Amino acid sequence: MGPVVEMKLGNQNVTTHFLLLGFAFHSKMQLLFFVLISIMFLTTLIGNSLIVVITTIDPILHTPMYYFLKNLALTEICYSLTIVPKMLLILLVERKIISFTACALQLNCVILFVTCECFLLGAMAYDRQVAICHPLHYATMMNRDRCFKMAVGSWLSGVPVALGFTTWLFTMPFCGRNTVDHLFCDVSPVLKLVCADTALFELLIFIAIVIIVMIPFSLIATSYLRIIHAVLQIPSAVGQRRAFSTCAAHLVVVTLFYSTTGIIHLRPKSSLSANTKKMVSLSYTVVTPMLNPIIYSLRNKEVKQSLRRCIGKWLLRKQMAIVSPLR
């Protein structure tokens, strides 16, 4: 393996590159993981891109629920593009390095998009609550202006946290340590390399994560308690099932997201083994973004019908383009 570049300032080594260890598998297993992750990555990009396209071009899907779903799909695309290409590269090449700047940028984006997804899931839960509990006032309560502000707020919510903690972490001394025992630059594995007291950093980032997780989670929990109460007032079992079915996909996505990200991010220096953290990280960076569009499309007739309409229109245009020159 080639040497990792370091600079010396006085008596201190200044890290300019990091070494991402990735998975410590033999070459055949590395290749298998590369193929599997590549397939899931392509599925993520295609699935989420289709969600963005159909919710943009189909007027029937111009509703608050699909507006937030489009923003969630965009978040998943950005998140995957931030992490997976480099992850695939370190599975293939022997020289598994990432520059200091690229590592800081990657971590910044990870914090930004995870925070954005937390708040978007909260906004989506609130939307379902208004739709089920206040159907007559839904159009006014979830108007275009409010939806836009909620989406922008979700995207911007992580900016100060991401910039603040990333800048703080990467201005700490590493004393020449540069081996990141992880798949990408995340808080916990980078924090282990710091050769200074990190107690205050750990305390403040824990408080920030609890706030980022608990505000949307409280909104989600409150929304679903109100939804359950409202649905139980519906006299017919068919009506109850129909009301619950509009929330099923969102509940599955929330469960997947919080059950994986919480394990890793609520305890930056937890006692979990490096391999366990890598597998959990793989689940929420590769598997969950791939499953989200599948969950929403399989559980949602409107999405499937819209997809059929869009494909039908595209095929019709292709046929017209072929026929026109023959006339």
Side-chain angles (χ1 to χ4, degrees):
M1 184 169 296
V4 177
V5 182
E6 290 180 356
M7 291 191 306
K8 269 201 169 184
L9 287 178
N11 294 323
Q12 279 194 333
N13 288 325
V14 179
T15 303
T16 59
H17 288 73
F18 290 103
L19 178 67
L20 289 169
L21 292 186
F23 287 111
F25 296 141
H26 56 76
S27 55
K28 286 185 180 178
M29 187 62 77
Q30 295 265 43
L31 185 60
L32 176 63
F33 261 69
F34 175 82
V35 172
L36 290 174
I37 293 171
S38 295
I39 293 168
M40 288 189 281
F41 179 53
L42 287 173
T43 306
T44 297
L45 293 182
I46 292 167
N48 284 290
S49 296
L50 281 173
I51 293 285
V52 172
V53 170
I54 63 173
T55 53
T56 301
I57 65 175
D58 193 340
I60 293 172
L61 300 184
H62 289 177
T63 63
M65 183 174 80
Y66 295 109
Y67 178 71
F68 290 124
L69 178 57
K70 176 170 69 175
N71 279 274
L72 183 67
L74 281 169
T75 307
E76 300 287 24
I77 291 169
C78 295
Y79 189 56
S80 296
L81 287 171
T82 298
I83 294 170
V84 182
K86 189 65 182 179
M87 189 189 296
L88 290 172
L89 188 62
I90 66 169
L91 281 169
L92 274 187
V93 300
E94 188 183 351
R95 190 174 167 82
K96 305 171 187 293
I97 64 168
I98 183 170
S99 72
F100 187 89
T101 305
C103 187
L105 184 61
Q106 189 179 64
L107 178 57
N108 183 76
C109 291
V110 167
I111 297 171
L112 177 65
F113 295 129
V114 167
T115 304
C116 178
E117 187 160 349
C118 277
F119 282 95
L120 278 174
L121 289 172
M124 292 170 82
Y126 178 74
D127 169 69
R128 291 299 81 211
Q129 180 218 313
V130 175
I132 293 169
C133 301
H134 309 283
L136 299 178
H137 302 286
Y138 181 65
T140 52
M141 289 179 72
M142 296 301 293
N143 57 61
R144 183 174 292 186
D145 184 54
R146 176 170 290 182
C147 290
F148 176 76
K149 287 177 180 176
M150 288 172 74
V152 170
S154 297
W155 280 95
L156 295 179
S157 59
V159 173
V161 180
L163 286 176
F165 281 106
T166 303
T167 304
W168 186 6
L169 178 57
F170 281 85
T171 51
M172 287 183 180
F174 292 98
C175 303
R177 298 174 185 175
N178 51 36
T179 304
V180 179
D181 191 9
H182 204 51
L183 306 171
F184 57 93
C185 292
D186 205 355
V187 174
S188 176
V190 175
L191 192 61
K192 287 179 179 178
L193 304 181
V194 174
C195 56
D197 183 15
T198 60
L200 181 60
F201 181 92
E202 288 180 63
L203 175 64
L204 292 181
I205 200 165
F206 176 78
I207 292 168
I209 291 169
V210 168
I211 292 169
I212 289 165
V213 169
M214 290 312 297
I215 290 176
F217 187 79
S218 300
L219 182 58
I220 291 166
T222 304
S223 296
Y224 275 105
L225 285 173
R226 290 177 178 175
I227 286 168
I228 291 166
H229 181 263
V231 169
L232 291 177
Q233 308 303 312
I234 300 172
S236 70
V238 175
Q240 288 182 355
R241 280 197 300 272
R242 189 177 294 132
F244 275 127
S245 69
T246 64
C247 307
H250 179 260
L251 266 175
V252 173
V253 170
V254 166
T255 305
L256 283 171
F257 180 77
Y258 277 99
S259 62
T260 52
T261 54
I263 293 171
I264 298 296
H265 291 106
L266 282 174
R267 295 179 66 193
K269 279 193 173 178
S270 66
S271 57
L272 291 174
S273 70
N275 283 332
T276 304
K277 284 187 175 183
K278 287 174 191 177
M279 293 308 296
V280 174
S281 296
L282 194 66
S283 69
Y284 74 79
T285 56
V286 179
V287 181
T288 304
M290 177 193 70
L291 291 177
N292 285 357
I294 296 171
I295 292 164
Y296 274 104
S297 59
L298 289 178
R299 297 285 308 179
N300 197 304
K301 289 181 181 178
E302 287 179 332
V303 171
K304 287 189 281 189
Q305 288 169 355
S306 175
L307 194 55
R308 289 193 198 103
R309 282 194 298 271
C310 291
I311 292 170
K313 287 177 183 178
W314 181 77
L315 290 173
L316 184 62
R317 286 199 199 97
K318 293 288 284 184
Q319 289 175 348
M320 294 294 289
I322 293 168
V323 172
S324 294
L326 299 175
R327 289 180 178 175

